[in-house]
Amino acid sequence: MAEAVATKTAWKLHEITAHSSNVSSLVLGKTSGRLLATGGDDCRVNIWSVNKPNCIMSLTGHTSPIESLQVNTNEKLIVAGSQSGSIRVWDLEAAKILRSLLGHKANICSLDFHPYGSIVASGSLDTNIKLWDVRKKSCVFRYKGHTEAVRCLRFSPDGKWLASAADDHTVKLWDLVAGKLVFEFREHTGPVNVVEFHPNEYLLASGSSDRTVRFWDLEKFQVVSCIEEEATPVRCVLFNPDGCCLYSGFQDSLRVYGWEPERCFDMVLVNWGKVADLSVRNNQLIGVSFAQSTVSSFVVDLSRVTKSDSIPHGLIRDDEPLVPPAPTGSSLRRIYDRPSTSCSKPQSRVKHNSESERRSPSSEDDRDEKESKAEIQNPEDYNEIFQPKNAICRTPPRNSEPFPAPPEDEPIAAKEAVKPTRAPHVQMLLPKQELLPNPVQRPPIASSASLTRAEPLVIPAARNEPIGLKASDFLPAVKNQSQTELVDEEAISQIRKGHETMCVVLTSRRKNLDTVQAVWSSSDIKNSVDSAVAINDLSVVVDLLNIVNQKPSLWKLDLCAIVLPQVEKLLESKYESYVQTGCTSLKLILQRFLPLITDILAAPPSVGVDITREERLHKCRLCYKQLKNISGIIKNKSGLSGRHGSTFQELHLLMAVLE
């Protein structure tokens, strides 16, 4: 008899280049665990099967980057929210746009489908939560109460409650029938990123940037327990389908928690980076993560993971008496009473919605829907996944099989026989490389020996490695080809070669910032900006503007005259972070001062001598001239696609009065 081959507990399943630009959001279908939807800065929503390399369907229609995605329970519908505040719902079976929903004034940060009715909840950067009737294409209710962006929304399993988590450190529970706030949980000390209802009991879990996971009793409205041993912010949690434990995804690890008492049952190392979503199917946990334009999927074999035990790990100290876990289930708290029919909408007697939210579909909405398309890229996979559910089938449907685990002693790269293909309009930046016969292979990256890495035209604000640097530049050249080891001292001396120079640069920048801070403390913001400009270092100007942009009350007309020439330089910078700061400052100036500037310049000349008015008129003329110069840059960049394209388009509209 052949011996059983040891298999991995966690492994990488697949990696795809999902979009032509950065991936901004993604979601897994929770029912099948096989459906994956990704949204990108290219304004597209792409549909994938987790274990297949080809894009099944590409959904278009949004004109700004996709910020949030959600799939409904039966995985027939998908909703996508964009940076501009628009929401679109697609029918995946029919491969067509279903609804276009307009009403939010800022980024859509969170979405969720009602488990039984045709209701979608949306949370935005504008702090509002809205409920939409997909059939009638209207906003049926609006909840106001959060003071910052709403990051996560979840309907309760019985469809009667809605939980919301926000950057204002609170979790709020809303009654859908009564249309009011039930309770507000305030114990978190940082932005709350995620909330999740227990599948059976009146229990809610929340994860926060304060590095804690908290469990809330929804009968007594109090904290059940709090897990505080995390090293990174909590961004992804999921209850096991039977409710026995909570899975929490962290940087390169999965942790399994109990809550009465709080304890960590198990921890599994998974090299997934910052995991974005989790799903459980066939006793396997599927996790997906993204970095720039790449999306990776991972699998954890839950049959080899401890979900409950009598000797908890990690959170129970050796000097404390061991308390046996409390029983779970209906003996602790109430069970959700799931309705057999669709849940009714919130009562119409509450008049929060405005006329614009209750309006009938307009010709503009119809045009938006006509411009939205669902392009089927792979008909075979599409028919397999989205076959009509109401069709008469003579044979029972196929159940998805668990993903086979690779052997423990075999590298995952050897198991990947099929190379991932690209999504529509995706350009591969890496050259093709042949696989060497060496059994231990490195990931296919662009080698410095075969390709000279040119510095890009725009350096992104978020990246995984320094731009234009090669590891080989910091290591001594190998004179003898047979030499395989480098002397530590020699390698360290080479690495430290530029260390002193870097220290001088950083020390100088710190000294300049101290100077600017001292001027601000002893004088005012205008003089501190003057001193920052006089230093002739854009990095110092950016650091100062990032602070001033957060306090619009600091801005005056004379400050605009000083800042606008610097904004022009920032907009033409190759650094993405500099461009972002310049756009923020310019938008603030346009919104607060452009009407004032145009009114003063259009006013008839005054009678007599008014020194104050003459000074103000001179500043307005100076600002107007600088804005005219900047308007040309904005106009040229307004045709760009992605996140910055939408920002420049907005600025171009604000500056239309100058043309």
Side-chain angles (χ1 to χ4, degrees):
M1 275 182 75
E3 295 183 1
V5 179
T7 57
K8 292 179 180 289
T9 303
W11 66 94
K12 187 175 186 177
L13 181 67
H14 222 68
E15 182 174 300
I16 54 175
T17 302
H19 289 269
S20 58
S21 57
N22 288 343
V23 176
S24 50
S25 59
L26 57 75
V27 67
L28 277 168
K30 299 298 186 289
T31 303
S32 67
R34 297 297 187 267
L35 179 67
L36 170 65
T38 62
D41 285 354
D42 57 4
C43 311
R44 285 176 170 263
V45 177
N46 290 335
I47 308 298
W48 311 79
S49 179
V50 169
N51 59 330
K52 295 186 178 181
N54 300 317
C55 177
I56 299 171
M57 189 188 307
S58 188
L59 310 175
T60 61
H62 277 295
T63 57
S64 58
I66 309 301
E67 293 289 320
S68 183
L69 291 167
Q70 192 57 261
V71 180
N72 74 336
T73 306
N74 59 17
E75 299 182 0
K76 289 183 179 180
L77 304 179
I78 184 171
V79 59
S82 73
Q83 197 176 78
S84 65
S86 66
I87 300 170
R88 279 174 166 78
V89 183
W90 282 274
D91 186 324
L92 295 177
E93 267 193 5
K96 67 176 185 179
I97 181 74
L98 193 62
R99 287 289 181 265
S100 179
L101 307 172
L102 303 175
H104 282 291
K105 299 177 181 178
N107 303 30
I108 304 297
C109 303
S110 52
L111 293 163
D112 198 26
F113 275 100
H114 192 278
Y116 303 107
S118 58
I119 300 293
V120 170
S122 61
S124 171
L125 192 64
D126 64 14
T127 72
N128 289 325
I129 300 169
K130 296 192 177 187
L131 297 186
W132 306 86
D133 188 329
V134 176
R135 295 170 300 184
K136 297 182 179 180
K137 195 162 65 172
S138 62
C139 176
V140 296
F141 203 79
R142 180 177 63 188
Y143 296 105
K144 300 182 70 174
H146 284 293
T147 57
E148 294 187 43
V150 182
R151 294 297 176 187
C152 185
L153 292 171
R154 288 291 182 270
F155 285 104
S156 61
D158 60 2
K160 295 179 180 178
W161 287 343
L162 177 69
S164 60
D167 285 351
D168 58 10
H169 307 181
T170 65
V171 175
K172 294 181 186 290
L173 191 66
W174 309 89
D175 188 319
L176 298 182
V177 178
K180 65 180 182 180
L181 179 68
V182 177
F183 199 80
E184 178 179 336
F185 302 101
R186 296 171 173 250
E187 278 77 358
H188 279 295
T189 58
V192 188
N193 302 312
V194 61
V195 287
E196 197 73 36
F197 281 96
H198 190 281
N200 303 315
E201 302 175 9
Y202 273 39
L203 183 75
L204 183 72
S206 60
S208 168
S209 293
D210 64 9
R211 303 178 182 181
T212 66
V213 177
R214 293 181 183 269
F215 297 90
W216 314 91
D217 188 309
L218 300 183
E219 283 186 288
K220 301 175 182 177
F221 300 112
Q222 63 185 24
V223 178
V224 175
S225 58
C226 176
I227 295 171
E228 301 178 337
E229 67 167 12
E230 309 316 331
T232 57
V234 184
R235 302 193 184 280
C236 192
V237 298
L238 180 70
F239 280 101
N240 196 65
D242 64 3
C244 66
C245 63
L246 179 81
Y247 303 111
S248 184
F250 292 92
Q251 180 80 26
D252 292 328
S253 69
L254 172 74
R255 299 195 183 189
V256 187
Y257 293 127
W259 49 90
E260 290 177 314
E262 66 270 20
R263 57 207 188 279
C264 181
F265 291 132
D266 206 348
M267 185 185 76
V268 182
L269 296 178
V270 191
N271 190 29
W272 53 26
K274 292 182 179 179
V275 62
D277 200 14
L278 303 172
S279 180
V280 174
R281 178 71 174 173
N282 295 326
N283 207 24
Q284 290 181 331
L285 182 138
I286 298 95
V288 285
S289 61
F290 63 91
Q292 297 182 350
S293 61
T294 303
V295 173
S296 302
S297 53
F298 297 80
V299 180
V300 178
D301 184 356
L302 296 181
S303 64
R304 301 174 62 180
V305 173
T306 305
K307 302 173 189 175
S308 62
D309 61 9
S310 58
I311 307 179
H313 304 290
L315 295 177
I316 302 298
R317 299 181 180 178
D318 294 338
D319 56 351
E320 293 178 347
L322 188 62
V323 180
T328 60
S330 58
S331 59
L332 276 178
R333 53 183 65 84
R334 285 180 60 185
I335 302 296
Y336 291 111
D337 183 18
R338 290 174 171 79
S340 57
T341 59
S342 295
C343 172
S344 60
K345 296 189 295 291
Q347 295 178 9
S348 58
R349 59 181 174 81
V350 186
K351 299 180 180 179
H352 271 289
N353 20 347
S354 64
E355 281 300 320
S356 61
E357 290 165 346
R358 293 194 297 266
R359 73 187 192 283
S360 60
S362 64
S363 59
E364 182 182 348
D365 297 337
D366 294 338
R367 188 180 71 250
D368 286 343
E369 292 181 9
K370 288 178 182 178
E371 293 174 354
S372 301
K373 294 187 293 184
E375 304 167 1
I376 299 176
Q377 306 292 332
N378 193 317
E380 184 178 344
D381 288 346
Y382 167 78
N383 291 330
E384 180 182 340
I385 295 177
F386 301 114
Q387 57 181 341
K389 305 295 189 297
N390 55 358
I392 298 175
C393 188
R394 305 280 179 191
T395 58
R398 291 187 306 230
N399 291 324
S400 58
E401 296 293 330
F403 295 117
E408 191 71 53
D409 57 346
E410 183 177 352
I412 299 176
K415 298 293 288 184
E416 296 176 353
V418 181
K419 292 186 179 180
T421 60
R422 301 186 292 275
H425 310 296
V426 176
Q427 298 179 356
M428 281 296 283
L429 301 178
L430 304 181
K432 294 181 180 178
Q433 294 186 352
E434 296 181 357
L435 296 177
L436 300 177
N438 188 350
V440 180
Q441 297 178 8
R442 298 184 181 276
I445 60 172
S447 171
S448 60
S450 60
L451 178 66
T452 302
R453 298 177 63 176
E455 187 173 309
L457 295 177
V458 178
I459 298 179
R463 53 188 183 269
N464 294 329
E465 59 183 15
I467 293 294
L469 296 183
K470 297 176 290 186
S472 59
D473 293 342
F474 295 89
L475 297 176
V478 181
K479 299 177 181 178
N480 184 3
Q481 295 297 328
S482 62
Q483 181 181 354
T484 57
E485 294 185 1
L486 298 173
V487 180
D488 290 346
E489 291 77 8
E490 189 177 357
I492 292 173
S493 66
Q494 291 288 333
I495 293 172
R496 290 178 59 88
K497 189 175 287 185
H499 176 69
E500 292 182 2
T501 304
M502 180 58 71
C503 285
V504 170
V505 172
L506 293 177
T507 303
S508 174
R509 184 170 178 179
R510 172 65 184 274
K511 183 179 178 181
N512 291 335
L513 289 172
D514 288 341
T515 302
V516 173
Q517 184 183 20
V519 174
W520 194 345
S521 301
S522 60
S523 183
D524 57 9
I525 179 62
K526 178 181 177 298
N527 289 329
S528 64
V529 174
D530 275 330
S531 65
V533 172
I535 292 171
N536 198 24
D537 183 353
L538 270 183
S539 64
V540 177
V541 175
V542 169
D543 289 337
L544 183 58
L545 286 180
N546 284 334
I547 297 172
V548 179
N549 288 341
Q550 297 180 21
K551 297 185 177 181
S553 60
L554 294 174
W555 287 85
K556 306 296 179 186
L557 191 60
D558 52 357
L559 185 63
C560 296
I562 302 171
V563 169
L564 280 172
Q566 305 303 313
V567 168
E568 185 175 357
K569 295 178 183 178
L570 294 178
L571 294 177
E572 294 184 308
S573 172
K574 64 181 179 180
Y575 297 103
E576 185 185 30
S577 58
Y578 285 20
V579 177
Q580 290 173 346
T581 301
C583 288
T584 303
S585 298
L586 180 59
K587 182 179 178 181
L588 198 151
I589 291 171
L590 292 173
Q591 290 176 335
R592 293 177 66 88
F593 295 100
L594 185 57
L596 172 67
I597 292 171
T598 53
D599 288 346
I600 290 177
L601 294 179
S606 60
V607 179
V609 179
D610 187 342
I611 302 298
T612 304
R613 186 183 185 282
E614 290 298 324
E615 289 179 350
R616 189 186 308 117
L617 184 61
H618 173 72
K619 293 173 185 175
C620 288
R621 286 172 177 165
L622 187 60
C623 290
Y624 187 85
K625 181 180 178 182
Q626 292 164 345
L627 287 172
K628 286 285 287 183
N629 295 336
I630 293 175
S631 66
I633 301 173
I634 298 298
K635 185 176 181 180
N636 293 334
K637 292 179 177 287
S638 61
L640 298 175
S641 61
R643 180 172 302 177
H644 292 301
S646 61
T647 302
F648 284 121
Q649 290 165 16
E650 182 181 2
L651 292 173
H652 183 55
L653 292 174
L654 291 173
M655 302 183 80
V657 68
L658 298 173
E659 298 178 355

